[in-house]
Amino acid sequence: FRPETGQEAQFLASLIEYSIAQGASDLHLLPRHDGSHVKIRVNGELLSRSEPIGSLELHKYLVNRIKVLCSMDITARCKPQEGSFSVPAQEFCCSVRVSLMPTVQGEKAVLRFMGNSKLLSLEQLGFDTETLARLRETADSGEGAIVFVGATGSGKSTSMYALLKKLASSNLSLVSVEDPVELYLPEISQTSVDERAGLDYPTCLRSVLRQDPDVIMLGEIRDEVSAKMAFQAALTGHLLMTTVHARDVREAFLRVFGLGVDAVSLSQSLKMVIAQRLVPKLCERCKVVDLQESNILDFECYKPVGCVICDYTGFSGQALVCESLVLTPDLRESLAISKGEMPSAERLEDSSAYIPYSRGIQSLLRQGVIEKAACL
Ligand SMILES: [Zn+2]
């Protein structure tokens, strides 16, 4: 990635490393009449400067270097091309997806950094102590399924990576099938789903199961064949961690049943369900006491204001809140005879194995980390 010689190649390496260090999701290289321009997208905002970084000649070198990294056709300049390469970093490896497009001024390159988020430990994720202890215990048991749910961008992959990282230190055979691999972990055999190449989830999972795995991470379960295979594997001495498309714990059951997994298999294989979401954290620098809400709540809570530090938004960063359920013997029993219905809300609330969203939210509100409006 960073060669010993070649100024342009080294310059590109520095540019990419700088973007990753800034937490950028994308890097744009645009040819314009006055030279090569750079834009980076950080936290959704596209940042640029008016001056070019160099001549159009340099731009051509940079694009060529990108093509070399992606093993693309260097001579093709008049057609869109796509490719990828990876950037080694200390703790992880960032994968970069490249898109090249011919424009009237030359080829425009857009580099997307996949999984450009630091690998967090389980403790750094922000789970409450009880959920964390239960998650650890479930993972240490070495078998059964742990299912994560939540909206896109709610940090499910980050949680699974943290769990994988924890397990990687033990003598276990760890595999993952993802669409695509977002973060490279050296101790884990990771495979990216590539449906165009015939490498879909069922195909990958079937092969992976023949490779003597102890722990299987499946990016998502979205088809019936994989669902049945995965929960069967969780029944037969494998630890499975995966996600399904659902908003909360109860909906997760509905989704898994909808994928054709029968109630008896699920009751025996499912160990834990975690639903998670991220809420905006108040900027520590400018938050003020919300007198009106504090009076209603009977404890001091805060509201956002906005300052230079938080770019006048009043918020900085996000906090994790979760809902979790551990399948206890009596829950298993009722699940087995449920005929594919999700557990009732009352049933969950009565169970000590269930932690609702409201608990984490209340705790963050009391600590002054989030505002009242975030609790809705
Ligand atoms: Zn602020």
Side-chain angles (χ1 to χ4, degrees):
F1 169 67
R2 180 181 277 282
E4 295 284 310
T5 56
Q7 271 189 350
E8 294 84 8
Q10 289 179 345
F11 179 65
L12 181 73
S14 302
L15 201 57
I16 290 171
E17 280 166 357
Y18 170 79
S19 307
I20 292 174
Q22 294 297 311
S25 58
D26 303 80
L27 166 66
H28 299 204
L29 279 171
L30 305 95
R32 291 220 180 117
H33 66 279
D34 59 343
S36 185
H37 286 256
V38 167
K39 293 182 180 182
I40 61 172
R41 191 177 294 281
V42 182
N43 291 330
E45 209 175 328
L46 197 58
L47 311 171
S48 58
R49 36 178 252 170
S50 48
E51 300 296 307
I53 52 161
S55 64
L56 278 175
E57 202 55 33
L58 173 74
H59 186 82
K60 272 186 208 156
Y61 276 118
L62 296 179
V63 171
N64 273 350
R65 175 64 187 159
I66 291 170
K67 287 179 179 173
V68 170
L69 287 170
C70 297
S71 312
M72 284 178 184
D73 184 357
I74 298 184
T75 56
R77 294 184 187 282
C78 305
K79 62 170 189 183
Q81 292 195 74
E82 281 172 19
S84 65
F85 63 93
S86 58
V87 180
Q90 266 186 345
E91 274 203 348
F92 62 95
C93 192
C94 182
S95 116
V96 185
R97 278 196 178 177
V98 177
S99 158
L100 293 180
M101 185 73 196
T103 71
V104 285
Q105 270 119 1
E107 286 175 282
K108 174 184 170 182
V110 174
L111 282 63
R112 163 150 291 193
F113 305 113
M114 306 294 292
N116 181 18
S117 55
K118 268 254 166 71
L119 179 58
L120 300 178
S121 68
L122 272 184
E123 294 71 23
Q124 290 170 316
L125 292 175
F127 282 124
D128 56 277
T129 41
E130 215 169 335
T131 301
L132 189 61
R134 289 172 180 187
L135 184 57
R136 275 209 202 97
E137 196 182 321
T138 309
D140 287 339
S141 75
E143 60 176 348
I146 303 174
V147 173
F148 290 89
V149 301
T152 308
S154 59
K156 294 172 303 222
S157 312
T158 310
S159 298
M160 291 204 290
Y161 279 125
L163 200 52
L164 277 177
K165 189 192 175 193
K166 171 193 149 40
L167 294 164
S169 46
S170 41
N171 285 328
L172 294 170
S173 158
L174 300 114
V175 299
S176 82
V177 178
E178 303 165 66
D179 185 17
V181 170
E182 289 178 28
L183 209 63
Y184 292 92
L185 301 176
E187 305 91 341
I188 294 152
S189 310
Q190 297 171 283
T191 302
S192 277
V193 165
D194 185 351
E195 278 170 8
R196 277 181 302 180
L199 214 57
D200 54 12
Y201 266 116
T203 310
C204 290
L205 184 55
R206 207 170 285 124
S207 303
V208 146
L209 284 170
R210 293 194 199 105
Q211 300 228 310
D212 187 25
D214 294 307
V215 180
I216 305 159
M217 189 264 244
L218 264 191
E220 189 188 354
I221 295 185
R222 54 190 185 208
D223 65 274
E224 206 170 316
V225 179
S226 307
K228 287 180 176 165
M229 245 192 296
F231 284 98
Q232 186 59 36
L235 260 179
T236 51
H238 303 92
L239 180 68
L240 168 76
M241 58 182 94
T242 188
T243 70
V244 294
H245 189 73
R247 279 167 306 181
D248 55 35
V249 166
R250 290 181 65 229
E251 209 179 273
F253 284 93
L254 214 56
R255 178 70 181 149
V256 175
F257 286 137
L259 285 166
V261 178
D262 66 277
V264 175
S265 305
L266 190 66
S267 71
Q268 289 167 2
S269 56
L270 186 63
K271 287 267 178 87
M272 189 170 185
V273 186
I274 298 180
Q276 57 183 68
R277 63 181 205 232
L278 298 171
V279 289
K281 276 195 206 163
L282 287 164
C283 170
E284 284 299 323
R285 174 78 180 274
C286 62
K287 68 178 184 185
V288 294
V289 173
D290 186 337
L291 287 174
Q292 201 181 346
E293 289 296 345
S294 297
N295 278 334
I296 300 170
L297 293 167
D298 221 18
F299 61 82
E300 216 161 64
C301 72
Y302 292 81
K303 62 181 180 183
V305 177
C307 69
V308 189
I309 301 290
C310 61
D311 213 4
Y312 299 97
T313 58
F315 299 97
S316 171
Q318 291 173 306
L320 178 76
V321 284
C322 74
E323 180 196 17
S324 70
L325 177 73
V326 173
L327 276 282
T328 53
D330 56 322
L331 274 169
R332 278 175 203 291
E333 224 167 273
S334 57
L335 188 61
I337 54 167
S338 70
K339 297 198 185 79
E341 280 167 23
M342 59 181 174
S344 70
E346 297 76 34
R347 180 89 178 79
L348 289 186
E349 270 147 33
D350 283 347
S351 171
S352 59
Y354 175 70
I355 299 175
Y357 268 127
S358 55
R359 201 180 297 180
I361 286 188
Q362 279 300 320
S363 154
L364 290 175
L365 187 64
R366 280 177 182 273
Q367 291 167 44
V369 175
I370 60 173
E371 63 164 337
K372 179 79 200 313
C375 306
L376 304 173

